[in-house]
């Protein structure tokens, strides 16, 4: 996830900006840059590490500037795409986090008005818009630019000749650190902690104009004041934003992650999806390959595509496909990989290409090996995932697969419109589950006392049972198995006892009644049963020992809410057992061997 920093005060800005950027390194980045305020906006940026940028810099006595670590989402990691971005004359410089959804229209408009763009980024429209509206005062120009922008942003703008930083926020975090006769701006608290522990958290709609000794804050045009908070965290605590583990932080980031995934692909007004991938590919079936958690996302994707597109879909574990005689035919091959570096998935991608298939990769990492092999790319834009156990990347993969299904669907505009409305609501539904964290933590404590646990479901949630079991085993070291609920009686029933709890996902779809029958069979074998069930489902309570409630959503999207509950369940079970949650034994974030 990109990081932004800004400084204005009585000291040299350059070393402070570099230090602040280093404090954001943990978020992951592929390029970085700074701009120093002077007679021009002096920009230094490249696709290099911060230390390399630092070594390349000459001393500079400017007392104000901005900086950025970029984690590419629009355009590959490169010096040109790195921030800060400037206007035509190079006097205005901007660093930005977020997604400008209408950047293509704005870019077209500005180009027709004579502006020249250098990068592939969405951000570059911001300095050009400010340039367009600048009439001698930076703040009003920024305000006018904001009125043209749709999307999310946290940004800092500077202009040579104006001794000020103008910062604005909407749907992307931004704080102002208050030091001694100096101000620091950053996307995250750790960036400023070496200089101050007094911060203001900006809210959506806030705009601040900051000079060396003054600071004016407005919200939607009205001057306001916001509370100054003292941050009680150490640097490490701050990097985890106060969460005990990155995994928990990343689960909490899921609503934002999936908003980023669909932003830019779904039109704000029409029920339309434009994925920006080739539309003229001739295929009569889809073959998806992936590993681990990504494989589970692929299995959900199969259900969604089958339902909405009615085309044969085959899902293979990449490691199995590589040594199989699977016949692909006229297939569109989709490889799902968070890292874009998993050896088995890369091998499958290459094999599919060699067999003459059109290949599409769904990944989180811009410029990863998979993106250099595949014919087309869809980025899930979940932001860097630091915990070894995949969480937010999984839900973002689900959203992307739903978008693929919806984009190719034959359903009527109205049905597509209502599914898109539901999809847009999913972040709010996830917040509702996160509000129940304490209750889920209690169930986690309970499960921590067992050595073997089954996860069962049917239909589109069967892959979520697999994922729930995978999450639990990898971080808590409890033996867990995901099973199709109807399969338990074909063997695993022999294992069901009082000491073998079952977590059953009871989605209210066409599988519900049969699943209830399966639960009764399990209870007859004395297994304690925890159900994941939607609000308002009173019936389930009479058959199970505990119910974890999830919000009601369209059954097609129920995997997103159900898996969030299971991720929390796994997290709290592992926590109760004192496991090293972010770095489980024997596992690596990216598996680069076969
Ligand atoms: C489990 C997990 C792994 C990965 C798998 C594939 O939490 O993260 O199972 O999903 O190693 O990795 P990617 O998606 O990077 O190809």
């Amino acid at each position: 996830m990109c990081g932004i920093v800004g400084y204005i005060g009585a000291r040299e800005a350059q070393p402070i900006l570099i230090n602040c950027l280093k404090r954001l390194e943990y978020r992951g980045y592929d390029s970085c840059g700074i701009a120093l305020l002077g007679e021009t906006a002096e920009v230094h940026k490249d696709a290099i590490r911060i230390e390399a940028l630092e070594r390349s810099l000459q001393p500079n006595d400017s007392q104000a500037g901005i900086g950025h670590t970029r984690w590419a989402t629009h355009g590959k990691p490169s010096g040109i795409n790195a921030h800060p971005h400037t206007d035509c004359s190079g006097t205005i410089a901007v660093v930005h986090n977020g997604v400008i959804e209408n950047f293509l229209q704005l870019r077209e408009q500005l180009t027709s008005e004579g502006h020249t763009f250098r990068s592939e980024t969405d951000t570059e429209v911001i300095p050009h818009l400010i340039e367009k509206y600048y009439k001698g005062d930076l703040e009003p120009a920024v305000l006018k630019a904001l009125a043209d922008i749709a999307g999310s942003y946290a940004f800092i703008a500077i202009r040579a000749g104006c001794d000020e930083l103008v910062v604005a926020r909407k749907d992307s975090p931004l704080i102002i650190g208050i030091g001694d006769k100096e101000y620091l701006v950053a996307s995250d608290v750790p960036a400023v902690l070496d200089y101050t522990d007094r911060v203001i958290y900006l809210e959506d709609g806030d705009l601040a104009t900051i000079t060396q000794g003054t600071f004016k804050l407005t919200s939607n045009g009205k001057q306001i004041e916001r509370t100054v908070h003292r941050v009680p965290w150490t640097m490490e605590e701050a990097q985890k934003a106060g969460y005990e583990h990155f995994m928990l932080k990343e689960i909490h980031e899921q609503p934002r992650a999936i908003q980023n995934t669909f932003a830019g692909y779904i039109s704000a007004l029409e029920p339309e999806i434009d994925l920006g991938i080739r539309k003229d590919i001739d295929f009569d079936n889809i073959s998806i390959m992936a590993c681990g958690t990504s494989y589970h996302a692929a299995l959900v994707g199969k259900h969604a595509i089958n339902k909405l597109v009615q085309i044969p879909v085959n899902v293979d574990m990449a490691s199995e496909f590589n040594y199989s005689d699977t016949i692909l035919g006229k297939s569109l091959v989709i490889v799902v990989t968070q890292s874009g570096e998993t050896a088995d998935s890369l091998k499958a991608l290459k094999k599919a290409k060699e067999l003459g298939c059109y290949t599409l990769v769904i990944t989180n990492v811009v410029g990863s090996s998979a993106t250099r092999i595949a014919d087309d790319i869809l980025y899930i834009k979940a932001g860097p995932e630091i915990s070894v156990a995949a969480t937010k990347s999984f839900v973002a993969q689900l959203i992307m697969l739903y978008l693929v299904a919806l984009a190719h669907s034959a359903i009527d505009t109205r049905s597509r419109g209502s599914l898109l409305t539901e999809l847009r609501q999913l972040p709010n539904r996830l917040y509702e589950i996160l509000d129940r964290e304490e209750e889920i933590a209690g169930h986690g404590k309970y499960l921590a006392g067992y050595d073997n646990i089954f996860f069962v479901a049917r239909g589109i949630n069967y892959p979520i049972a697999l994922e729930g079991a995978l999450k639990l085993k990898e971080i808590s070291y409890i033996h867990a198995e995901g099973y199709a609920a109807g399969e338990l009686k074909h063997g695993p029933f022999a294992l069901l006892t009082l000491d073998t709890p079952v977590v059953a996902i009871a989605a209210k779809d066409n599988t519900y009644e049969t699943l209830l029958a399966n639960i009764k069979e399990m209870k007859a074998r004395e297994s304690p049963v925890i159900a994941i069930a939607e609000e308002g489902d009173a019936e389930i309570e009479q058959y199970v020992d505990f119910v974890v409630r999830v919000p009601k959503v369209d059954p097609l999207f129920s995997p997103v809410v159900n898996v969030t509950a299971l991720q929390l369940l796994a997290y709290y079970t592992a926590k109760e057992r004192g496991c090293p949650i972010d770095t489980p034994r024997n596992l690596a974030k990216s598996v680069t061997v076969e």
Side-chain angles (χ1 to χ4, degrees):
M1 217 173 307
C2 305
I4 64 178
V5 299
Y7 175 83
I8 187 159
R11 295 193 266 175
E12 279 183 10
Q14 186 167 280
I16 295 176
L17 291 171
I18 291 290
N19 185 46
C20 292
L21 287 179
K22 284 182 182 168
R23 295 302 189 188
L24 293 180
E25 271 187 313
Y26 74 97
R27 293 156 68 100
Y29 69 103
D30 48 55
S31 41
C32 56
I34 59 168
L36 297 159
L37 198 53
E39 281 166 24
T40 60
E42 190 184 311
V43 175
H44 303 273
K45 59 176 187 169
D46 211 339
I48 50 176
R49 307 304 294 170
I50 298 168
E51 292 75 29
L53 176 74
E54 185 179 19
R55 281 196 300 273
S56 72
L57 297 171
Q58 298 300 318
N60 185 307
D61 59 7
S62 167
Q63 294 174 333
I66 56 180
H68 192 266
T69 47
R70 176 170 188 254
W71 201 75
T73 54
H74 287 87
K76 59 186 179 302
S78 69
I80 289 180
N81 287 335
H83 298 215
H85 288 285
T86 54
D87 61 338
C88 295
S89 62
T91 45
I92 295 167
V94 167
V95 287
H96 162 237
N97 280 357
V99 182
I100 307 297
E101 288 173 20
N102 58 343
F103 86 99
L104 281 176
Q105 295 99 295
L106 289 172
R107 199 178 160 118
E108 223 168 89
Q109 168 77 25
L110 287 160
T111 305
S112 73
E113 292 167 7
H115 292 256
T116 308
F117 286 84
R118 303 174 192 96
S119 78
E120 300 160 86
T121 66
D122 54 336
T123 299
E124 202 183 351
V125 297
I126 306 175
H128 285 273
L129 281 172
I130 298 174
E131 178 181 36
K132 172 177 167 177
Y133 293 122
Y134 184 77
K135 298 272 176 310
D137 224 345
L138 188 56
E139 186 185 307
V142 170
L143 274 170
K144 282 200 170 139
L146 289 181
D148 288 353
I149 289 171
S152 57
Y153 51 78
F155 74 75
I156 317 175
I158 55 171
R159 187 185 187 282
C162 308
D163 271 341
E164 60 191 6
L165 312 181
V166 178
V167 310
R169 156 189 175 144
K170 181 174 165 266
D171 292 334
S172 233
L174 196 60
I175 59 132
I176 297 178
I178 301 174
D180 185 15
K181 298 196 196 87
E182 61 188 4
Y183 292 98
L184 297 111
V185 184
S187 43
D188 209 351
V189 171
V192 306
L193 274 187
D194 286 331
Y195 306 97
T196 181
D197 61 356
R198 295 171 65 225
V199 304
I200 291 175
Y201 295 90
L202 295 188
E203 304 271 343
D204 286 346
D206 285 1
L207 181 134
T209 301
I210 311 169
T211 66
Q212 262 211 15
T214 66
F215 154 62
K216 186 185 83 178
L217 186 59
T218 60
S219 175
N220 300 312
K222 288 202 188 83
Q223 195 158 341
I224 54 152
E225 295 205 347
R226 293 223 179 271
T227 315
V228 178
H229 297 266
R230 267 197 193 276
V231 180
W233 298 331
T234 62
M235 188 63 72
E236 198 200 325
E237 283 166 343
Q239 290 185 338
K240 291 180 187 150
Y243 292 103
E244 200 174 332
H245 297 98
F246 280 109
M247 180 179 176
L248 190 59
K249 177 174 179 250
E250 285 157 8
I251 294 172
H252 278 260
E253 283 170 352
Q254 287 183 171
R256 164 124 316 273
I258 64 177
Q259 249 159 1
N260 285 341
T261 307
F262 58 64
Y265 295 126
I266 306 181
S267 145
L269 304 170
E270 306 292 328
E272 270 171 24
I273 300 167
D274 185 2
L275 298 176
I277 54 177
R278 264 182 72 178
K279 295 192 178 84
D280 57 348
I281 305 303
D282 186 22
F283 58 91
D284 58 19
N285 72 84
I286 295 178
S287 207
I288 317 182
M289 289 133 202
C291 301
T293 289
S294 299
Y295 170 71
H296 300 152
L299 291 174
V300 175
K302 172 183 166 132
H303 280 271
I305 297 169
N306 277 158
K307 188 169 179 64
L308 297 172
V309 191
Q310 280 144 13
I311 186 171
V313 184
N314 179 54
V315 179
D316 274 305
M317 286 172 193
S319 56
E320 284 300 304
F321 168 77
N322 292 336
Y323 296 93
S324 74
D325 299 317
T326 305
I327 297 164
L328 286 176
K330 231 163 62 178
S331 313
L332 166 67
V333 169
I334 304 178
V335 171
V336 186
T337 166
Q338 185 282 133
S339 61
E341 301 295 349
T342 301
D344 290 321
S345 302
L346 294 180
K347 189 163 180 170
L349 188 56
K350 286 182 196 148
K351 181 175 167 186
K353 271 196 92 165
E354 277 160 23
L355 290 171
C357 297
Y358 193 77
T359 55
L360 169 67
V361 67
I362 294 182
T363 186
N364 198 24
V365 182
V366 175
S368 55
S369 303
T371 66
R372 295 197 293 274
I373 302 167
D375 297 300
D376 238 325
I377 310 162
L378 285 172
Y379 289 113
I380 58 171
K381 300 184 217 151
E385 200 170 54
I386 293 164
S387 182
V388 165
T391 52
K392 63 176 178 173
S393 65
F394 178 71
V395 295
Q397 286 169 345
L398 295 185
I399 299 299
M400 187 51 84
L401 287 158
Y402 288 133
L403 291 179
V404 169
L406 280 160
H408 291 90
S409 74
I411 57 172
D412 59 85
T413 314
R414 206 153 143 226
S415 311
R416 183 183 296 132
S418 71
L419 284 174
L420 284 178
T421 307
E422 277 253 1
L423 200 66
R424 283 201 190 89
Q425 285 305 315
L426 281 179
N428 291 335
R429 301 292 85 83
L430 293 194
Y431 284 123
E432 288 169 30
I433 301 174
L434 295 172
D435 283 347
R436 292 193 193 127
E437 191 171 340
E438 226 179 288
E439 187 195 319
I440 298 175
H443 296 303
K445 278 190 182 161
Y446 163 77
L447 285 183
Y450 291 92
D451 295 325
N452 297 289
I453 301 175
F454 277 98
F455 286 72
V456 300
R458 303 182 78 111
I460 197 168
N461 279 289
Y462 164 51
I464 300 305
L466 296 177
E467 177 60 8
L470 176 63
K471 233 45 343 155
L472 188 78
K473 70 182 108 179
E474 69 179 319
I475 62 167
S476 75
Y477 310 152
I478 294 175
H479 171 238
E481 291 209 44
Y483 249 87
E487 278 294 299
L488 235 49
K489 57 183 170 292
H490 299 293
F493 260 22
L495 297 172
L496 295 190
T497 66
L498 258 180
D499 293 326
T500 321
V502 179
V503 178
I505 307 170
K508 273 280 196 178
D509 56 17
N510 60 342
T511 66
Y512 182 74
E513 293 303 331
T514 348
L515 188 99
L516 283 191
N518 297 144
I519 289 176
K520 286 181 213 161
E521 294 157 7
M522 293 161 206
K523 284 303 304 170
R525 272 90 193 157
E526 298 194 313
S527 282
V529 176
I530 297 183
I532 311 289
E534 71 178 40
E535 273 153 17
D537 173 5
E539 194 182 352
I540 191 86
E541 280 174 10
Q542 49 188 309
Y543 304 115
V544 303
D545 301 271
F546 308 101
V547 185
V548 173
R549 292 287 173 189
V550 289
K552 189 173 161 55
V553 296
D554 188 287
L556 185 65
F557 301 136
S558 60
V560 179
V561 292
N562 291 333
V563 81
T564 304
L566 293 185
Q567 291 163 343
L568 286 171
L569 195 64
Y571 173 82
Y572 282 103
T573 309
K575 189 174 164 203
E576 181 66 14
R577 289 168 70 101
C579 297
I581 292 178
D582 285 331
T583 48
R585 70 181 173 218
N586 305 338
L587 297 179
K589 185 69 187 157
S590 173
V591 186
T592 52
V593 289
E594 267 191 75

